Amino acid sequence: MKAHHLNAREQRLLEETERQLTGDRRLRWRLRLLGGACRLRHVLAAVLPGRWVLAVAALVSLVLLITGIATGSPGVIWAFAICWLVTWGVVLRAAYRWATTHLGSDDRRKPYV
């Protein structure tokens, strides 16, 4: 954003503020919600913290696995299969979040292609 009526110091402060706001993930998320782009994954990300979801999904998967082996019930086996997929989705999401927060864009390794 160029504001021609600002002096050099004010322009520099404005650009720095815009740069900080551009990198704010929570602000982008809130603005998307206000814009009407409310999707299920955004709502779930706001409501459920990542570590707890991962722990609960893994625990439920383990319980369903043991119950499915013990009973052999098709319903429990299908419930385990669905929960197992959800658990891996949560694991991959957590791994992606960890990688983006701990490995900046400058620190990422380039592929060996």
Short mmCIF file of all heavy atoms in Angstrom, two decimals, residues 17-59:
data_model
loop_
_atom_site.label_atom_id
_atom_site.label_comp_id
_atom_site.label_asym_id
_atom_site.label_seq_id
_atom_site.Cartn_x
_atom_site.Cartn_y
_atom_site.Cartn_z
N THR A 17 4.25 -2.66 9.64
CA THR A 17 3.00 -3.15 10.22
C THR A 17 2.28 -4.07 9.26
O THR A 17 1.76 -5.12 9.65
CB THR A 17 2.10 -1.96 10.60
OG1 THR A 17 2.82 -1.09 11.48
CG2 THR A 17 0.83 -2.44 11.28
N GLU A 18 2.24 -3.71 7.98
CA GLU A 18 1.59 -4.57 6.99
C GLU A 18 2.31 -5.91 6.87
O GLU A 18 1.67 -6.95 6.73
CB GLU A 18 1.57 -3.87 5.63
CG GLU A 18 0.56 -2.76 5.54
CD GLU A 18 0.60 -2.05 4.20
OE1 GLU A 18 1.55 -2.28 3.42
OE2 GLU A 18 -0.33 -1.28 3.94
N ARG A 19 3.62 -5.89 6.94
CA ARG A 19 4.39 -7.13 6.86
C ARG A 19 4.08 -8.03 8.05
O ARG A 19 3.91 -9.24 7.91
CB ARG A 19 5.88 -6.80 6.80
CG ARG A 19 6.73 -7.83 6.18
CD ARG A 19 8.17 -7.44 5.91
NE ARG A 19 8.73 -6.39 6.76
CZ ARG A 19 8.96 -5.13 6.35
NH1 ARG A 19 8.68 -4.77 5.13
NH2 ARG A 19 9.49 -4.24 7.17
N GLN A 20 3.96 -7.45 9.24
CA GLN A 20 3.64 -8.24 10.43
C GLN A 20 2.22 -8.79 10.35
O GLN A 20 1.97 -9.94 10.72
CB GLN A 20 3.80 -7.39 11.69
CG GLN A 20 5.24 -7.09 12.03
CD GLN A 20 5.34 -6.10 13.18
OE1 GLN A 20 4.35 -5.53 13.62
NE2 GLN A 20 6.56 -5.92 13.67
N LEU A 21 1.28 -7.98 9.88
CA LEU A 21 -0.10 -8.43 9.78
C LEU A 21 -0.26 -9.50 8.71
O LEU A 21 -1.09 -10.39 8.83
CB LEU A 21 -1.03 -7.26 9.49
CG LEU A 21 -1.22 -6.27 10.63
CD1 LEU A 21 -2.06 -5.10 10.17
CD2 LEU A 21 -1.82 -6.95 11.84
N THR A 22 0.53 -9.43 7.66
CA THR A 22 0.47 -10.43 6.60
C THR A 22 0.90 -11.79 7.13
O THR A 22 0.37 -12.82 6.73
CB THR A 22 1.36 -10.02 5.43
OG1 THR A 22 0.93 -8.74 4.97
CG2 THR A 22 1.27 -11.01 4.29
N GLY A 23 1.85 -11.82 8.05
CA GLY A 23 2.34 -13.08 8.60
C GLY A 23 1.52 -13.62 9.75
O GLY A 23 1.77 -14.71 10.23
N ASP A 24 0.49 -12.90 10.20
CA ASP A 24 -0.31 -13.33 11.33
C ASP A 24 -1.37 -14.33 10.86
O ASP A 24 -2.34 -13.97 10.20
CB ASP A 24 -0.97 -12.12 11.99
CG ASP A 24 -1.63 -12.44 13.31
OD1 ASP A 24 -1.64 -13.63 13.72
OD2 ASP A 24 -2.14 -11.52 13.94
N ARG A 25 -1.20 -15.60 11.25
CA ARG A 25 -2.12 -16.65 10.80
C ARG A 25 -3.48 -16.51 11.45
O ARG A 25 -4.51 -16.76 10.82
CB ARG A 25 -1.54 -18.02 11.12
CG ARG A 25 -0.38 -18.36 10.25
CD ARG A 25 0.25 -19.70 10.50
NE ARG A 25 -0.48 -20.61 11.33
CZ ARG A 25 0.05 -21.63 11.96
NH1 ARG A 25 1.33 -21.87 11.84
NH2 ARG A 25 -0.68 -22.43 12.70
N ARG A 26 -3.52 -16.14 12.73
CA ARG A 26 -4.81 -16.01 13.41
C ARG A 26 -5.65 -14.89 12.81
O ARG A 26 -6.86 -15.02 12.67
CB ARG A 26 -4.61 -15.75 14.89
CG ARG A 26 -4.30 -16.98 15.66
CD ARG A 26 -4.35 -16.68 17.13
NE ARG A 26 -4.40 -17.93 17.86
CZ ARG A 26 -4.56 -18.01 19.14
NH1 ARG A 26 -4.69 -16.91 19.85
NH2 ARG A 26 -4.59 -19.17 19.73
N LEU A 27 -5.01 -13.80 12.47
CA LEU A 27 -5.73 -12.69 11.86
C LEU A 27 -6.31 -13.10 10.51
O LEU A 27 -7.47 -12.80 10.20
CB LEU A 27 -4.82 -11.48 11.70
CG LEU A 27 -5.45 -10.26 11.02
CD1 LEU A 27 -6.60 -9.72 11.85
CD2 LEU A 27 -4.41 -9.20 10.79
N ARG A 28 -5.51 -13.80 9.70
CA ARG A 28 -6.02 -14.27 8.40
C ARG A 28 -7.21 -15.19 8.59
O ARG A 28 -8.19 -15.12 7.86
CB ARG A 28 -4.93 -15.00 7.63
CG ARG A 28 -3.96 -14.07 6.93
CD ARG A 28 -3.04 -14.85 6.08
NE ARG A 28 -2.19 -15.64 6.98
CZ ARG A 28 -1.17 -16.37 6.62
NH1 ARG A 28 -0.87 -16.46 5.37
NH2 ARG A 28 -0.45 -17.01 7.49
N TRP A 29 -7.13 -16.06 9.60
CA TRP A 29 -8.23 -16.99 9.87
C TRP A 29 -9.48 -16.23 10.25
O TRP A 29 -10.57 -16.51 9.76
CB TRP A 29 -7.80 -17.95 10.98
CG TRP A 29 -8.88 -18.90 11.35
CD1 TRP A 29 -9.23 -20.04 10.69
CD2 TRP A 29 -9.76 -18.82 12.46
NE1 TRP A 29 -10.27 -20.66 11.32
CE2 TRP A 29 -10.61 -19.93 12.41
CE3 TRP A 29 -9.91 -17.91 13.49
CZ2 TRP A 29 -11.60 -20.14 13.35
CZ3 TRP A 29 -10.90 -18.13 14.42
CH2 TRP A 29 -11.71 -19.23 14.35
N ARG A 30 -9.36 -15.25 11.14
CA ARG A 30 -10.53 -14.47 11.56
C ARG A 30 -11.11 -13.67 10.41
O ARG A 30 -12.33 -13.55 10.28
CB ARG A 30 -10.15 -13.56 12.71
CG ARG A 30 -9.94 -14.30 13.98
CD ARG A 30 -9.61 -13.37 15.11
NE ARG A 30 -9.36 -14.14 16.32
CZ ARG A 30 -9.05 -13.60 17.47
NH1 ARG A 30 -8.96 -12.30 17.59
NH2 ARG A 30 -8.84 -14.36 18.52
N LEU A 31 -10.26 -13.12 9.59
CA LEU A 31 -10.77 -12.36 8.45
C LEU A 31 -11.48 -13.28 7.46
O LEU A 31 -12.48 -12.88 6.86
CB LEU A 31 -9.62 -11.62 7.76
CG LEU A 31 -9.06 -10.43 8.54
CD1 LEU A 31 -7.84 -9.86 7.82
CD2 LEU A 31 -10.12 -9.37 8.75
N ARG A 32 -10.99 -14.49 7.29
CA ARG A 32 -11.68 -15.45 6.41
C ARG A 32 -13.04 -15.81 6.97
O ARG A 32 -14.00 -15.96 6.22
CB ARG A 32 -10.84 -16.71 6.23
CG ARG A 32 -9.96 -16.63 5.02
CD ARG A 32 -9.32 -17.95 4.74
NE ARG A 32 -7.92 -17.80 5.10
CZ ARG A 32 -7.16 -18.70 5.66
NH1 ARG A 32 -7.64 -19.87 5.94
NH2 ARG A 32 -5.92 -18.46 5.94
N LEU A 33 -13.13 -15.95 8.30
CA LEU A 33 -14.42 -16.25 8.90
C LEU A 33 -15.39 -15.09 8.69
O LEU A 33 -16.57 -15.30 8.41
CB LEU A 33 -14.27 -16.53 10.39
CG LEU A 33 -13.78 -17.92 10.77
CD1 LEU A 33 -13.72 -18.05 12.28
CD2 LEU A 33 -14.69 -18.98 10.20
N LEU A 34 -14.91 -13.88 8.85
CA LEU A 34 -15.77 -12.72 8.64
C LEU A 34 -16.18 -12.60 7.18
O LEU A 34 -17.27 -12.11 6.88
CB LEU A 34 -15.06 -11.45 9.08
CG LEU A 34 -14.87 -11.30 10.59
CD1 LEU A 34 -14.05 -10.05 10.89
CD2 LEU A 34 -16.21 -11.23 11.30
N GLY A 35 -15.32 -13.07 6.29
CA GLY A 35 -15.62 -13.01 4.87
C GLY A 35 -16.59 -14.09 4.41
O GLY A 35 -16.96 -14.13 3.25
N GLY A 36 -16.98 -14.96 5.28
CA GLY A 36 -17.94 -15.99 4.91
C GLY A 36 -17.32 -17.29 4.45
O GLY A 36 -18.02 -18.18 3.98
N ALA A 37 -16.01 -17.45 4.58
CA ALA A 37 -15.35 -18.67 4.14
C ALA A 37 -15.18 -19.63 5.31
O ALA A 37 -14.12 -20.14 5.57
CB ALA A 37 -14.01 -18.35 3.51
N CYS A 38 -16.24 -19.84 6.05
CA CYS A 38 -16.19 -20.71 7.23
C CYS A 38 -16.31 -22.16 6.78
O CYS A 38 -17.35 -22.61 6.34
CB CYS A 38 -17.33 -20.35 8.18
SG CYS A 38 -17.38 -21.37 9.64
N ARG A 39 -15.21 -22.87 6.90
CA ARG A 39 -15.20 -24.27 6.52
C ARG A 39 -15.04 -25.12 7.76
O ARG A 39 -14.60 -24.65 8.81
CB ARG A 39 -14.06 -24.54 5.55
CG ARG A 39 -14.23 -23.81 4.25
CD ARG A 39 -13.15 -24.21 3.27
NE ARG A 39 -13.36 -23.49 2.04
CZ ARG A 39 -12.44 -22.80 1.42
NH1 ARG A 39 -11.22 -22.74 1.89
NH2 ARG A 39 -12.71 -22.17 0.30
N LEU A 40 -15.35 -26.37 7.65
CA LEU A 40 -15.29 -27.26 8.80
C LEU A 40 -13.90 -27.36 9.37
O LEU A 40 -13.72 -27.35 10.59
CB LEU A 40 -15.80 -28.65 8.39
CG LEU A 40 -15.79 -29.71 9.48
CD1 LEU A 40 -16.71 -29.29 10.62
CD2 LEU A 40 -16.21 -31.05 8.94
N ARG A 41 -12.88 -27.38 8.55
CA ARG A 41 -11.52 -27.53 9.08
C ARG A 41 -11.09 -26.30 9.87
O ARG A 41 -10.36 -26.42 10.85
CB ARG A 41 -10.53 -27.85 7.98
CG ARG A 41 -10.33 -26.76 6.96
CD ARG A 41 -9.38 -27.26 5.85
NE ARG A 41 -9.27 -26.30 4.82
CZ ARG A 41 -8.28 -25.43 4.73
NH1 ARG A 41 -7.30 -25.45 5.60
NH2 ARG A 41 -8.25 -24.55 3.75
N HIS A 42 -11.56 -25.11 9.50
CA HIS A 42 -11.23 -23.91 10.25
C HIS A 42 -11.92 -23.93 11.61
O HIS A 42 -11.34 -23.54 12.61
CB HIS A 42 -11.62 -22.66 9.47
CG HIS A 42 -10.84 -22.47 8.22
ND1 HIS A 42 -9.47 -22.32 8.22
CD2 HIS A 42 -11.22 -22.42 6.93
CE1 HIS A 42 -9.06 -22.18 6.97
NE2 HIS A 42 -10.10 -22.24 6.17
N VAL A 43 -13.16 -24.36 11.61
CA VAL A 43 -13.90 -24.41 12.87
C VAL A 43 -13.28 -25.45 13.80
O VAL A 43 -13.08 -25.20 14.99
CB VAL A 43 -15.39 -24.73 12.60
CG1 VAL A 43 -16.14 -24.95 13.90
CG2 VAL A 43 -16.02 -23.60 11.81
N LEU A 44 -12.94 -26.61 13.27
CA LEU A 44 -12.32 -27.64 14.09
C LEU A 44 -10.95 -27.21 14.59
O LEU A 44 -10.56 -27.51 15.71
CB LEU A 44 -12.20 -28.95 13.31
CG LEU A 44 -13.51 -29.69 13.07
CD1 LEU A 44 -13.25 -30.93 12.22
CD2 LEU A 44 -14.17 -30.06 14.37
N ALA A 45 -10.20 -26.49 13.77
CA ALA A 45 -8.89 -26.02 14.20
C ALA A 45 -9.01 -25.02 15.33
O ALA A 45 -8.15 -24.95 16.21
CB ALA A 45 -8.16 -25.39 13.02
N ALA A 46 -10.07 -24.24 15.33
CA ALA A 46 -10.26 -23.26 16.40
C ALA A 46 -10.77 -23.91 17.68
O ALA A 46 -10.41 -23.50 18.77
CB ALA A 46 -11.24 -22.19 15.94
N VAL A 47 -11.61 -24.92 17.54
CA VAL A 47 -12.24 -25.53 18.71
C VAL A 47 -11.34 -26.55 19.37
O VAL A 47 -11.22 -26.59 20.59
CB VAL A 47 -13.57 -26.18 18.30
CG1 VAL A 47 -14.19 -26.93 19.44
CG2 VAL A 47 -14.53 -25.12 17.79
N LEU A 48 -10.70 -27.38 18.59
CA LEU A 48 -9.93 -28.49 19.14
C LEU A 48 -8.43 -28.26 18.97
O LEU A 48 -7.96 -28.12 17.86
CB LEU A 48 -10.33 -29.78 18.43
CG LEU A 48 -11.80 -30.16 18.52
CD1 LEU A 48 -12.08 -31.33 17.62
CD2 LEU A 48 -12.18 -30.49 19.94
N PRO A 49 -7.69 -28.23 20.08
CA PRO A 49 -6.24 -28.13 19.95
C PRO A 49 -5.65 -29.38 19.31
O PRO A 49 -6.15 -30.48 19.51
CB PRO A 49 -5.75 -27.98 21.38
CG PRO A 49 -6.95 -27.84 22.23
CD PRO A 49 -8.14 -28.24 21.43
N GLY A 50 -4.59 -29.24 18.55
CA GLY A 50 -4.02 -30.33 17.79
C GLY A 50 -3.54 -31.51 18.61
O GLY A 50 -3.78 -32.66 18.28
N ARG A 51 -2.82 -31.25 19.72
CA ARG A 51 -2.27 -32.36 20.50
C ARG A 51 -3.36 -33.20 21.14
O ARG A 51 -3.24 -34.42 21.20
CB ARG A 51 -1.35 -31.81 21.58
CG ARG A 51 -0.08 -31.26 21.03
CD ARG A 51 0.82 -30.78 22.14
NE ARG A 51 1.40 -29.53 21.69
CZ ARG A 51 1.62 -28.49 22.44
NH1 ARG A 51 1.34 -28.52 23.70
NH2 ARG A 51 2.14 -27.41 21.94
N TRP A 52 -4.41 -32.54 21.63
CA TRP A 52 -5.47 -33.30 22.28
C TRP A 52 -6.24 -34.14 21.26
O TRP A 52 -6.63 -35.27 21.56
CB TRP A 52 -6.42 -32.36 23.02
CG TRP A 52 -5.75 -31.73 24.20
CD1 TRP A 52 -5.35 -30.43 24.31
CD2 TRP A 52 -5.36 -32.37 25.41
NE1 TRP A 52 -4.74 -30.23 25.51
CE2 TRP A 52 -4.73 -31.41 26.21
CE3 TRP A 52 -5.48 -33.67 25.88
CZ2 TRP A 52 -4.23 -31.71 27.46
CZ3 TRP A 52 -4.98 -33.95 27.14
CH2 TRP A 52 -4.37 -32.99 27.91
N VAL A 53 -6.46 -33.60 20.11
CA VAL A 53 -7.16 -34.36 19.07
C VAL A 53 -6.34 -35.59 18.69
O VAL A 53 -6.88 -36.69 18.54
CB VAL A 53 -7.43 -33.48 17.83
CG1 VAL A 53 -8.01 -34.29 16.70
CG2 VAL A 53 -8.34 -32.34 18.19
N LEU A 54 -5.05 -35.41 18.56
CA LEU A 54 -4.17 -36.53 18.21
C LEU A 54 -4.20 -37.60 19.29
O LEU A 54 -4.32 -38.79 19.00
CB LEU A 54 -2.74 -36.02 18.00
CG LEU A 54 -1.69 -37.05 17.63
CD1 LEU A 54 -2.08 -37.77 16.36
CD2 LEU A 54 -0.35 -36.37 17.47
N ALA A 55 -4.12 -37.19 20.54
CA ALA A 55 -4.14 -38.15 21.64
C ALA A 55 -5.47 -38.89 21.72
O ALA A 55 -5.50 -40.12 21.88
CB ALA A 55 -3.85 -37.44 22.96
N VAL A 56 -6.57 -38.17 21.58
CA VAL A 56 -7.89 -38.81 21.65
C VAL A 56 -8.10 -39.73 20.47
O VAL A 56 -8.61 -40.86 20.63
CB VAL A 56 -9.00 -37.74 21.73
CG1 VAL A 56 -10.37 -38.33 21.52
CG2 VAL A 56 -8.94 -37.02 23.07
N ALA A 57 -7.73 -39.29 19.27
CA ALA A 57 -7.91 -40.14 18.08
C ALA A 57 -7.08 -41.41 18.19
O ALA A 57 -7.56 -42.50 17.84
CB ALA A 57 -7.54 -39.36 16.82
N ALA A 58 -5.85 -41.31 18.68
CA ALA A 58 -5.02 -42.50 18.85
C ALA A 58 -5.60 -43.43 19.90
O ALA A 58 -5.62 -44.65 19.71
CB ALA A 58 -3.59 -42.09 19.23
N LEU A 59 -6.09 -42.86 20.99
CA LEU A 59 -6.68 -43.70 22.04
C LEU A 59 -7.95 -44.40 21.55
O LEU A 59 -8.12 -45.60 21.79
CB LEU A 59 -6.99 -42.83 23.26
CG LEU A 59 -7.55 -43.59 24.47
CD1 LEU A 59 -6.52 -44.56 25.00
CD2 LEU A 59 -7.97 -42.61 25.53
#
